[in-house]
Amino acid sequence: MTVRPPRTATLLVTVMILCLAALLPAWPQAAYAGDGTCGEASAAASTTWYFAEGYTGPGFQEWLTLFNPQESPVSLDLHLLYNGGASQTVPAELPARSRVTFNINDLAGADAEVSLYLESLQPIVAERPMYFTYRGKWKGCTVTSGATAPSKTWYFAEGCTRAGFEEWLLLANPGDMGVSATVHFVLEDGSVVPVPVELPPRSRRTVFVNAAVGEGRDVGARVEADAPICAERVMYFNYYGMWPGGHASSGLAQPRQTYLFAEGYTGAGFQEWLTLYAPRQSSGEDGTEITLDCLFQGGEVQTFQVHLDPDTRRTLYINDMVGAGKDVSLQLSADEPFLAERPMYFNYLGVCRGGHVSKGVEEPGTHWYLAEGTLYYGFHTYLCLMNPGEEAASVEVDFVYAEQGFEMPEQYDLPPRSRLTLRVKGEVSYYSDVSFEITSDTPIAVERPLYYPGSSFEAANAMDTIWGLSAIIGQRVEGTQGELAAAQYLAGALTNYGYKPQIQEVPLPNGAVTRNVIATCGPDWAIQPGYEKYLVVGGHYDTKMNTGSPGANDNASGAAVVLELARCFAEHPPPNFIIQFVFFGGEERLVENSDLHHFGSRYYVGNLTTDIKSRMIGAIVVDMVGVGSQLYARTMGIGPMDLCNSLMAYAQGTGVYLPYMQDYSYSDHEPFEKAGIPAVWLEYKDDPWYHTPGDSFDKINPAFIEHTGRLLEGFIRTSVNCPT
């Protein structure tokens, strides 16, 4: 991809981001944040589309996205097939050149296992996104373009029942006669497990692959039926116990001799695989020889030869083959037909964990369609373009916006034997669904990755930060290399989220330097200069000297909540005021029994102009929110109480008990109150490991982190008093 975790961050930051993914221990919670999907573009619109998978039960939200590329309205019938054999037909009409989304949960009702097929009078394009929390623990999303026709045979190269993977195969019979089918599961050792399935007319069936073949297997599948059906494979996973999610594939009716995969990336947080399977009926007794060409962003090509034995599944790790940090597309060809899929698992930007899969396309084309795409808060949509030919391609992308009902064409040049990734930005509206029609004067291939980090507070992301600050960096005493490493880490994360962080150097009385890390977030539209209102959300990141404390609670916990709030508001900015997220250096006392403390926050407030101070809504300080028994709103009682009272009133209105406690000069709210700026400090009390080596990651209660973060996000989004 083009937009990845920025490569301009320091080496130290990059190494720490990699370590986070590898070292973060498991901790109990309902679900992890984010996930992503990838869709192969359709070379042609169709009058029929089939989707074998579908579920509207608890934790699942199913959609159907339709793109009408015609210059006139299109009438269609959407058929819903259920496990028991019942069916339902919903008529609909799509306006000309439009993108329309159907809520399948509303159409099918709650707790339905449902397959879809649609028939239209003119060709259209369809995709089915699903968002889920699988078994209440693995959060993610899948998308598939389905199939344009049923078939007597279906093939799937990818499949896994190893620890942390659960695989399902869905079969749907759209016909009026019963169908007998056999699913042949092909294992990594070449053995085959047959599973017979009976499909009544206009019905669907589900096969749990883990139960069919046993745990700990890599598995491909071949479906054979005595009449045409459709099939789909869905996998839910917690990849290495770190990256939960899911992905889905509608399979192939026949093996191919060529495959093109436009998307691919081997950078930090991404693991790319290629799964291959040569059915004996297609490859013969000697198997298949495959040529794998890897095409890179600058036009370089790397070639590998791969042998496939018959009826054997093989997996290639693309990261090892092409090296780290590569944007790469794959072109596969062989003399005999075979099966290929490309799974990718990721921690996108360090905040979006999951995986997606693609079965690629068979050949390049000059016309491509994608029904799904969105520019709404929390979604990142990309287009990957691959030119496998020897001539440059001129590519036009028409963005068909759902909300506005019009389109915006863009032109791109694609050199020969190369690839390009585009981040789909909101040229017209940042808050719209969008479909794509792509034309090229030279045949190309297209895929659409879509990531969903979300715009709501996720405790998993904050816990990652606490681990990074306390377990990887450890002690962060003011003015030391540890504190500098923490400042670089925070600045690197903010850069990943799209900020341009400012590093404010603060001199210390001992001649050393501490640093405030500042990121500014504002509305999408301009506010007249001189009238902006400012809210500060901050917390310190340093640790107490001479204690040996890794500072998980004091105050990696507060810094982590502030960082995750910064991510949320980068995705969905406040409507009419500016937030400055400030990570204060040098909060801890430099000399015991002295006033030498709060250097970062005092310096920050001391450098505010009189005009800015007059436009301050206030400051929210988050300090020590991972250990204790009760969350308190605290002030010194010497400054305006507006912000504190407003936060406590919001908490009461949402059923949250947030009592008040007065304090003295114990945290970074102090200089704000002394300057007459409303301020409030959030703290859980009490922490028995305060300023000791025992203040470690294992003591942090993720429920407290989530409670604090979601309370503050809700308050800032709905109750911060800032007249326009």
Side-chain angles (χ1 to χ4, degrees):
M1 315 247 343
T2 300
V3 181
R4 305 289 189 182
R7 301 183 177 105
T8 56
T10 65
L11 177 61
L12 175 61
V13 173
T14 303
V15 169
M16 286 191 293
I17 290 173
L18 287 168
C19 290
L20 281 177
L23 299 177
L24 180 66
W27 51 276
Q29 57 170 4
Y32 285 78
D35 196 3
T37 68
C38 192
E40 316 98 4
S42 298
S46 175
T47 57
T48 54
W49 291 93
Y50 297 82
F51 301 90
E53 162 65 339
Y55 183 54
T56 63
F60 280 72
Q61 174 63 61
E62 180 176 354
W63 305 90
L64 182 66
T65 59
L66 303 179
F67 170 37
N68 175 16
Q70 311 297 333
E71 300 295 341
S72 59
V74 173
S75 297
L76 62 89
D77 285 329
L78 172 61
H79 306 282
L80 292 82
L81 309 179
Y82 301 96
N83 267 13
S87 62
Q88 175 187 358
T89 299
V90 178
E93 184 166 290
L94 306 181
R97 299 291 295 174
S98 67
R99 148 74 189 265
V100 177
T101 303
F102 289 93
N103 186 331
I104 302 303
N105 287 49
D106 286 350
L107 294 177
D111 208 25
E113 296 182 58
V114 59
S115 296
L116 309 175
Y117 80 93
L118 59 88
E119 300 171 298
S120 60
L121 295 180
Q122 291 179 277
I124 62 173
V125 185
E127 292 186 72
R128 189 215 59 235
M130 290 181 66
Y131 296 86
F132 57 81
T133 303
Y134 179 73
R135 299 193 188 276
K137 59 180 181 178
W138 298 342
K139 183 177 180 180
C141 51
T142 65
V143 69
T144 179
S145 57
T148 57
S151 173
K152 290 184 178 182
T153 57
W154 290 101
Y155 296 87
F156 300 89
E158 168 65 341
C160 183
T161 65
R162 293 172 184 258
F165 283 79
E166 294 193 7
E167 179 180 352
W168 302 83
L169 190 68
L170 299 309
L171 306 178
N173 174 16
D176 295 324
M177 301 292 291
V179 175
S180 295
T182 301
V183 182
H184 303 274
F185 291 111
V186 182
L187 305 182
E188 73 284 347
D189 60 4
S191 60
V192 178
V193 179
V195 177
V197 181
E198 294 296 324
L199 293 165
R202 298 178 70 80
S203 71
R204 49 105 71 197
R205 287 288 184 269
T206 303
V207 178
F208 184 33
V209 180
N210 292 54
V213 306
E215 303 293 336
R217 310 308 297 259
D218 291 327
V219 54
R222 181 178 77 253
V223 181
E224 297 176 338
D226 60 10
I229 62 173
C230 52
E232 193 171 336
R233 182 210 64 239
V234 183
M235 293 174 59
Y236 303 99
F237 51 79
N238 190 8
Y239 186 72
Y240 286 122
M242 300 183 303
W243 302 343
H247 51 62
S249 172
S250 55
L252 293 176
Q254 294 293 335
R256 304 168 176 162
Q257 290 178 257
T258 57
Y259 290 82
L260 298 171
F261 297 95
E263 161 65 333
Y265 183 60
T266 65
F270 279 73
Q271 294 193 0
E272 180 176 353
W273 304 85
L274 186 65
T275 57
L276 306 172
Y277 160 43
R280 188 176 299 274
Q281 305 94 311
S282 303
S283 62
E285 294 299 321
D286 295 330
T288 301
E289 295 292 334
I290 298 172
T291 298
L292 168 59
D293 288 332
C294 302
L295 279 61
F296 301 98
Q297 206 92 331
E300 176 194 355
V301 178
Q302 195 172 357
T303 300
F304 301 90
Q305 297 297 133
V306 180
H307 176 77
L308 279 185
D309 290 325
D311 261 352
T312 302
R313 183 186 181 282
R314 184 171 177 183
T315 302
L316 306 178
Y317 186 36
I318 302 301
N319 291 50
D320 280 351
M321 296 176 70
V322 305
K326 298 293 183 66
D327 293 290
V328 58
S329 296
L330 306 179
Q331 180 178 16
L332 290 80
S333 60
D335 292 335
E336 304 290 342
F338 66 101
L339 278 301
E341 291 187 68
R342 187 214 59 234
M344 291 179 64
Y345 299 92
F346 51 78
N347 189 0
Y348 170 76
L349 296 182
V351 296
C352 181
R353 307 152 184 81
H356 52 60
V357 72
S358 171
K359 60 182 184 292
V361 297
E362 186 169 12
E363 57 186 8
T366 57
H367 213 131
W368 296 99
Y369 300 94
L370 287 155
E372 171 67 338
T374 186
L375 304 177
Y376 276 100
Y377 301 120
F379 290 87
H380 298 185
T381 301
Y382 294 84
L383 288 177
C384 293
L385 310 178
M386 172 189 183
N387 179 7
E390 301 295 339
E391 298 181 6
S394 177
V395 183
E396 181 174 286
V397 180
D398 282 335
F399 302 84
V400 181
Y401 292 86
E403 303 299 329
Q404 288 77 20
F406 59 84
E407 50 197 280
M408 176 69 71
E410 293 286 343
Q411 199 79 25
Y412 303 95
D413 293 322
L414 192 56
R417 304 290 287 166
S418 71
R419 47 105 65 210
L420 176 67
T421 300
L422 310 173
R423 171 76 185 272
V424 180
K425 296 288 189 178
E427 288 90 350
V428 177
S429 169
Y430 191 70
Y431 318 115
S432 175
D433 288 327
V434 61
S435 294
F436 307 97
E437 183 172 2
I438 301 159
T439 56
S440 173
D441 62 356
T442 297
I444 63 170
V446 179
E447 284 188 66
R448 181 216 55 244
L450 188 154
Y451 299 96
Y452 178 45
S455 58
S456 297
F457 189 93
E458 291 283 1
N461 298 331
M463 292 296 289
D464 276 4
T465 301
I466 297 171
W467 176 260
L469 290 174
S470 64
I472 294 179
I473 299 175
Q475 297 181 57
R476 307 174 299 280
V477 174
E478 54 200 306
T480 67
Q481 286 299 308
E483 191 195 46
L484 172 61
Q488 292 174 332
Y489 169 66
L490 294 167
L494 291 165
T495 302
N496 289 348
Y497 306 158
Y499 290 99
K500 296 180 179 178
Q502 172 192 356
I503 306 296
Q504 186 181 54
E505 292 196 346
V506 180
L508 295 172
N510 61 4
V513 173
T514 186
R515 294 161 182 85
N516 294 329
V517 183
I518 305 169
T520 302
C521 178
D524 293 328
W525 53 88
I527 299 176
Q528 185 176 354
Y531 290 88
E532 308 99 323
K533 298 292 185 179
Y534 287 85
L535 175 70
V536 170
V537 180
H540 76 94
Y541 62 91
D542 61 309
T543 58
K544 178 73 170 174
M545 67 169 55
N546 300 323
T547 63
S549 173
N553 190 40
D554 183 19
N555 182 37
S557 66
V561 168
V562 174
L563 184 63
E564 174 60 6
L565 287 171
R567 185 197 68 79
C568 295
F569 283 93
E571 296 287 342
H572 185 178
N576 58 354
F577 58 93
I578 290 172
I579 305 176
Q580 280 208 326
F581 297 97
V582 187
F583 302 85
F584 297 113
E587 187 265 358
E588 299 289 357
R589 199 178 301 272
L590 191 62
V591 178
E592 291 299 325
N593 302 314
S594 76
D595 192 44
L596 298 177
H597 54 87
H598 297 133
F599 296 103
S601 54
R602 289 176 178 178
Y603 189 88
Y604 175 86
V605 174
N607 281 271
L608 294 175
T609 66
T610 302
D611 178 55
I612 293 294
K613 288 179 183 178
S614 70
R615 292 187 272 120
M616 291 287 291
I617 301 168
I620 299 171
V621 171
V622 190
D623 192 351
M624 298 179 64
V625 291
V627 177
S629 58
Q630 176 59 54
L631 183 66
Y632 290 91
R634 307 192 67 179
T635 75
M636 295 174 66
I638 62 173
M641 291 292 293
D642 311 41
L643 190 63
C644 182
N645 290 338
S646 179
L647 176 58
M648 290 191 297
Y650 170 80
Q652 184 178 17
T654 57
V656 172
Y657 179 56
L658 182 66
Y660 173 75
M661 178 182 288
Q662 188 171 354
D663 77 277
Y664 299 96
S665 180
Y666 293 151
S667 194
D668 287 305
H669 60 301
E670 175 226 54
F672 292 94
E673 286 198 64
K674 288 183 176 179
I677 298 170
V680 59
W681 164 26
L682 284 182
E683 180 198 25
Y684 264 97
K685 289 185 69 69
D686 283 307
D687 181 0
W689 298 283
Y690 174 66
H691 286 177
T692 73
D695 182 9
S696 53
F697 179 83
D698 59 295
K699 311 301 194 317
I700 301 298
N701 187 333
F704 292 175
I705 301 299
E706 183 172 37
H707 176 73
T708 305
R710 295 198 173 180
L711 174 70
L712 287 178
E713 184 194 358
F715 171 67
I716 296 168
R717 291 206 189 279
T718 63
S719 299
V720 169
N721 183 19
C722 181
T724 55

